[in-house]
Amino acid sequence: MLKSLAAITSYHEGDLSILRQEPWLQMITSAEEVIVNIERIDSIKELSIGNPVLDYVEKTLVILDELALSFWVKEILEKVLIWSEVAKGGTLKERIAWQKEGVNLFVHNVGSAELFSRYGNAGVSERMNVIQTLIATHGLVGQYLRGEVIFAENRPLTELVTQGLLSAQELTDVLIPLNECIIGAVSPELSLSIQSEIEHSIQQIVHGHISDTSAVKDRIRKLRTATIKRGESFEIELNKLDQSIQVELDLAPMEHYTLWYVEAALQDFTLEEFIKVFMLVLHSEKIQNIRHISFEPLMNTMYYDYKGVKKMNVYKKRIIEKYLQEFSWEMIRSGATINNQHLKHSILGKRDLPDTLFFSFEFSAAAEKLIEFCIEAEKSPLYEKAVLLLFDLFDLRRDAYDRFNNEEEYLADMNQTADYKKVMLQHIVGQQVLDIGPGGGVMLDLIEQELPHVKPIGIDISSNVIEALERKKQLEGHTWEVMKGDALALQEYVEKGTIDTVIFSSILHELYSYIPYNGRKFNHDTVAAALTSAYAVLSPGGRIIIRDGIMTEPFDQKRRIVFYEPDGVDWLRRYAKDFAGREIEFEVLSDNEVIMLVNDAMEFLYTYTWGEEAYVHEVQEQFGYFTPSQFTAFIVETLGEEAQVLISQHILQAGYTEELSKRIKIMDEQGNEVDLPDSTCLLVIAKPE
């Protein structure tokens, strides 16, 4: 076992005396401030219950210990690995002192090399010069492949050969296992997948084939690697941007800087937003004489834990997106600012680090508190109200389509609904189809698979949905299209009379529930506006297909509900208090039995079926808002006598009976057990030719 691994083992076993013998271990373990690339962790909680820097160093040493290397190579690499992360350690008092002495703790490879020279018993020797150079260039090959540095940053390694400190073969023998250790400790799969690229880069370094410049677009492409793997259409988006700016020219100064934590901070933003951030930095007056640009402050503020898992702070992301949208390219070039009292971008230096700039976004204290409140309220009925306060503060849109904290889960659930949506395919006519509120894209997929002659287009007002669908399209090779737009104003996005079929699949009740049309939600005028908008873009002979919630007739019939679960009546009480759609009334007959109007009963049971996890959202939605006869009359009243209702069907959606039979018994007023009423309608409306 390596001496350093034995030291770590002793420390884990409680032997603190080992710290006096190993200054590198003392620095790492005494860290009062956790400094780690958040990409490497799954939960923010890990930062408070462990030492991720020590864990990483230990992983690198374990890999080194298992490699079959000559004694001198292993000895050098052990020294390099134990010192390469020390700039992330030290007490706060020590770190302040180091910074005052000029140690760059924020450019960790450089800072670690400086600390090694002071505390590593380095002395002055060729061997120690080699080790210090390896620490100072630690990770640069991988960072070059990620786009964070230009290749010329590796020149000190080449100079080890030109100065005769190592032969070309010796440098190769050192760099290949070194990079295997530092990348393999992050991800063995990543190390294996880029092995050939690492070896090629090392050969270029060893033989002095190093260029001072790097093509800007190539570098941006590398910086977007994680985003591209998640489905970003990089080349398409880059070509679009090239029509507005000259990317290669406008971002040419990038070649002068090393970049830190770019992917972790910016990978969830669009390419346009990503480039705007860089333009803001490059056109700052503070950029003079700078070598390093760090996005570490932004990275640290953009994540939080949700259900124990690290999650992008989408509240901040949406606000930042709007802020960046307000910047034109001309404004950025001219150095103009935006007057926003709750958000600004910051480009700051540190007094003791004249060659380093730090970029972030700064929120006002009020905004930070409100965002914290939204996070705390995520599992509470207060959540939607909290989000609306956020919308008001930043003048964002006032619907709730971005579910923020569980959008990915919601879209995944939507994709489980293919079977019952498939029935709508037989009613599609023509070649141009608009799917309103496409969710996870299940309807778009079905149309593409079953009706290859049809061109499906999804339209949604949610940025989350559009971004997820664009990634899905790229990753899975779909041909359908998506666009961001308002279902109540379709004519602003497509020409009148050009769409053959418009589909509203379980979306009209969300428009009804969430859109404050004419100043109020739960407004039938919202449904009318959506249908009118769809009818306007229909071609002659075109159709509107609706699949949505339905109420049952007659209205005044009642149902008795017996709960099998002891908290069932309490659930109903809470629901009646929180439900935003209308007043829910019921009479308690016993500890576990109530009687109530049938449509109130069903509206409650829809939410009860989904359970606690979905409660915060479902309590905001009214699934049924018309009976079948009311819906037909409403369509004719809204669209005129010429609109033909070709099909009006209603069914009980599969799953409700099975799920609810485990939790309740439903009876008529006399106590006779009865079936659940129909929950869902299918309507097909035709426009005359």
Side-chain angles (χ1 to χ4, degrees):
M1 178 185 286
L2 295 173
K3 178 187 175 185
S4 55
L5 278 176
I8 292 173
T9 300
S10 296
Y11 171 76
H12 285 321
E13 292 174 349
D15 180 9
L16 300 184
S17 66
I18 194 69
L19 300 179
R20 292 191 294 273
Q21 304 168 36
E22 305 291 348
W24 61 272
L25 186 57
Q26 190 276 331
M27 290 180 187
I28 293 174
T29 57
S30 65
E32 296 171 9
E33 178 182 349
V34 178
I35 301 170
V36 65
N37 190 332
I38 289 182
E39 286 181 284
R40 296 181 183 175
I41 62 172
D42 297 318
S43 169
I44 305 299
K45 188 178 180 181
E46 293 177 26
L47 303 181
S48 61
I49 62 176
N51 188 325
V53 176
L54 180 60
D55 292 344
Y56 171 72
V57 171
E58 186 173 10
K59 288 177 183 177
T60 66
L61 293 168
V62 168
I63 296 172
L64 176 63
D65 196 36
E66 295 174 349
L67 293 178
L69 301 171
S70 65
F71 175 79
W72 79 270
V73 169
K74 186 166 284 193
E75 187 179 41
I76 285 177
L77 293 186
E78 181 178 14
K79 203 71 152 178
V80 171
L81 293 174
I82 63 177
W83 282 93
S84 288
E85 301 292 325
V86 294
K88 299 177 183 178
T91 64
L92 294 179
K93 183 177 180 180
E94 287 173 328
R95 293 181 65 80
I96 292 171
W98 292 338
Q99 289 179 66
K100 287 182 177 179
E101 294 167 6
V103 178
N104 194 334
L105 300 176
F106 298 93
V107 181
H108 305 123
N109 54 337
V110 173
S112 293
E114 292 170 347
L115 291 172
F116 170 73
S117 70
R118 298 176 185 213
Y119 304 105
N121 298 318
V124 179
S125 69
E126 291 184 353
R127 182 175 178 273
M128 291 305 156
N129 286 341
V130 169
I131 293 172
Q132 187 167 353
T133 299
L134 291 170
I135 295 171
T137 56
H138 174 267
L140 291 186
V141 173
Q143 286 178 276
Y144 163 69
L145 295 178
R146 288 166 60 101
E148 293 174 334
V149 303
I150 61 172
F151 201 49
E153 291 293 320
N154 289 283
R155 182 169 283 111
L157 292 170
T158 303
E159 292 172 357
L160 292 176
V161 176
T162 58
Q163 293 171 6
L165 297 177
L166 291 176
S167 69
Q169 186 58 54
E170 287 171 337
L171 182 57
T172 301
D173 292 343
V174 168
L175 290 181
I176 287 178
L178 175 60
N179 281 278
E180 183 176 347
C181 292
I182 61 180
I183 298 173
V186 174
S187 166
E189 296 76 19
L190 175 63
S191 179
L192 188 61
S193 69
I194 64 173
Q195 182 178 348
S196 61
E197 295 175 83
I198 291 289
E199 291 178 357
H200 175 70
S201 298
I202 288 173
Q203 287 306 307
Q204 288 181 297
I205 292 168
V206 166
H207 294 98
H209 301 154
I210 293 181
S211 170
D212 287 323
T213 60
S214 177
V216 169
K217 289 182 180 179
D218 287 342
R219 191 172 185 189
I220 295 172
R221 189 179 291 105
K222 291 174 182 177
L223 289 168
R224 300 293 286 178
T225 297
T227 312
I228 292 169
K229 285 181 179 178
R230 298 207 320 268
E232 178 177 78
S233 304
F234 178 80
E235 301 300 337
I236 294 173
E237 295 303 316
L238 191 63
N239 288 336
K240 287 181 184 176
L241 287 172
D242 256 336
Q243 297 173 15
S244 302
I245 62 172
Q246 294 178 285
V247 175
E248 197 76 45
L249 183 62
D250 280 318
L251 273 70
M254 278 180 66
E255 71 180 59
H256 301 299
Y257 309 109
T258 63
L259 308 171
W260 295 87
Y261 301 108
V262 177
E263 275 197 325
L266 296 173
Q267 65 180 331
D268 287 290
F269 290 91
T270 67
L271 182 61
E272 179 177 342
E273 292 158 355
F274 176 91
I275 289 179
K276 278 189 174 181
V277 166
F278 273 96
M279 293 272 284
L280 287 170
V281 178
L282 296 175
H283 285 82
S284 166
E285 60 184 20
K286 299 178 181 179
I287 199 68
Q288 302 299 320
N289 302 316
I290 292 298
R291 183 182 175 193
H292 306 286
I293 302 171
S294 174
F295 293 87
E296 185 178 359
L298 178 59
M299 174 191 72
N300 289 334
T301 192
M302 289 303 295
Y303 295 90
Y304 70 101
D305 276 348
Y306 176 69
K307 296 183 182 177
V309 177
K310 177 189 70 181
K311 190 172 182 65
M312 163 63 67
N313 191 323
V314 75
Y315 309 96
K316 289 187 174 181
K317 179 172 179 279
R318 291 288 171 238
I319 296 164
I320 291 170
E321 285 170 346
K322 185 175 185 295
Y323 178 82
L324 291 173
Q325 287 168 7
E326 293 174 0
F327 274 103
S328 67
W329 300 110
E330 291 71 23
M331 289 173 64
I332 296 175
R333 289 192 189 98
S334 67
T337 59
I338 290 174
N339 184 20
N340 187 321
Q341 62 178 322
H342 293 294
L343 177 63
K344 64 179 181 179
H345 67 277
S346 66
I347 304 169
L348 301 175
K350 293 183 182 291
R351 185 176 57 186
D352 302 312
L353 299 174
D355 65 347
T356 306
L357 278 184
F358 298 84
F359 180 91
S360 191
F361 290 97
E362 294 182 359
F363 290 82
S364 69
E368 288 281 6
K369 291 295 184 184
L370 184 51
I371 291 168
E372 289 176 17
F373 176 54
C374 288
I375 292 172
E376 289 298 319
E378 282 177 349
K379 294 183 179 180
S380 157
L382 289 171
Y383 177 68
E384 303 295 344
K385 295 178 181 178
V387 171
L388 289 178
L389 287 173
L390 203 65
F391 290 163
D392 284 342
L393 189 66
F394 289 96
D395 194 27
L396 299 171
R397 56 182 184 74
R398 286 186 54 83
D399 61 82
Y401 286 113
D402 280 329
R403 294 179 179 235
F404 286 112
N405 62 314
N406 70 338
E407 184 75 16
E408 292 179 4
E409 295 174 25
Y410 174 69
L411 295 179
D413 288 341
M414 294 290 287
N415 279 342
Q416 305 300 316
T417 61
D419 288 344
Y420 71 71
K421 290 192 173 187
K422 204 168 185 177
V423 70
M424 288 184 282
L425 297 180
Q426 60 188 288
H427 304 294
I428 290 174
V429 296
Q431 295 184 330
Q432 295 263 67
V433 177
L434 269 187
D435 181 19
I436 310 298
V442 61
M443 197 70 205
L444 298 172
D445 287 349
L446 284 172
I447 296 171
E448 184 177 278
Q449 294 162 13
E450 305 292 330
L451 303 172
H453 65 285
V454 171
K455 178 184 177 183
I457 304 169
I459 186 166
D460 203 297
I461 201 168
S462 167
S463 297
N464 282 2
V465 170
I466 296 302
E467 289 170 12
L469 287 173
E470 289 285 11
R471 292 194 299 268
K472 172 182 168 71
K473 177 182 178 180
Q474 180 73 8
L475 289 172
E476 299 176 6
H478 294 292
T479 58
W480 40 253
E481 296 180 6
V482 290
M483 65 174 72
K484 185 175 180 180
D486 186 349
L488 307 188
L490 294 175
Q491 57 271 30
E492 294 182 12
Y493 311 97
V494 295
E495 291 185 31
K496 289 186 177 182
T498 61
I499 301 299
D500 301 308
T501 303
V502 178
I503 298 173
F504 291 97
S505 180
S506 294
I507 194 67
L508 280 178
H509 78 274
E510 295 203 0
L511 297 175
Y512 172 76
S513 301
Y514 288 122
I515 299 293
Y517 196 79
N518 290 335
R520 64 185 179 92
K521 298 179 183 179
F522 303 100
N523 187 345
H524 288 132
D525 290 345
T526 310
V527 181
L531 293 179
T532 302
S533 171
Y535 200 71
V537 300
L538 277 185
S539 61
R543 292 180 175 180
I544 298 173
I545 303 173
I546 300 169
R547 187 190 184 285
D548 214 355
I550 201 77
M551 301 173 82
T552 194
E553 297 170 312
F555 260 99
D556 58 355
Q557 60 183 312
K558 293 186 176 182
R559 290 290 181 263
R560 292 168 65 173
I561 300 173
V562 175
F563 292 97
Y564 298 148
E565 297 169 344
D567 63 346
V569 175
D570 290 337
W571 243 87
L572 176 56
R573 287 193 178 99
R574 178 167 64 128
Y575 177 83
K577 178 182 177 183
D578 294 337
F579 181 57
R582 62 176 185 270
E583 186 175 356
I584 300 292
E585 297 182 350
F586 60 93
E587 178 185 353
V588 178
L589 302 179
S590 69
D591 289 344
N592 68 334
E593 185 176 353
V594 298
I595 186 169
M596 57 198 304
L597 290 170
V598 62
N599 287 307
D600 286 354
M602 289 309 299
E603 198 63 53
F604 161 69
L605 290 175
Y606 297 141
T607 297
Y608 192 59
T609 304
W610 285 99
E612 189 66 43
E613 183 65 25
Y615 180 86
V616 63
H617 301 297
E618 297 300 327
V619 77
Q620 305 294 324
E621 299 179 9
Q622 183 170 320
F623 189 50
Y625 46 94
F626 284 128
T627 66
S629 61
Q630 286 176 331
F631 217 147
T632 300
F634 181 80
I635 289 167
V636 173
E637 178 185 351
T638 300
L639 302 181
E641 295 287 344
E642 66 170 21
Q644 298 176 298
V645 181
L646 300 181
I647 295 174
S648 177
Q649 300 173 350
H650 41 95
I651 61 167
L652 176 62
Q653 185 173 316
Y656 280 125
T657 299
E658 180 181 354
E659 289 299 318
L660 286 172
S661 65
K662 306 169 188 175
R663 305 178 70 188
I664 63 146
K665 178 168 69 174
I666 188 165
M667 302 173 289
D668 62 18
E669 294 178 70
Q670 288 72 45
N672 302 309
E673 194 165 353
V674 295
D675 294 332
L676 296 169
D678 289 343
S679 62
T680 308
C681 68
L682 175 66
L683 295 161
V684 180
I685 307 164
K687 187 174 187 176
E689 296 188 16

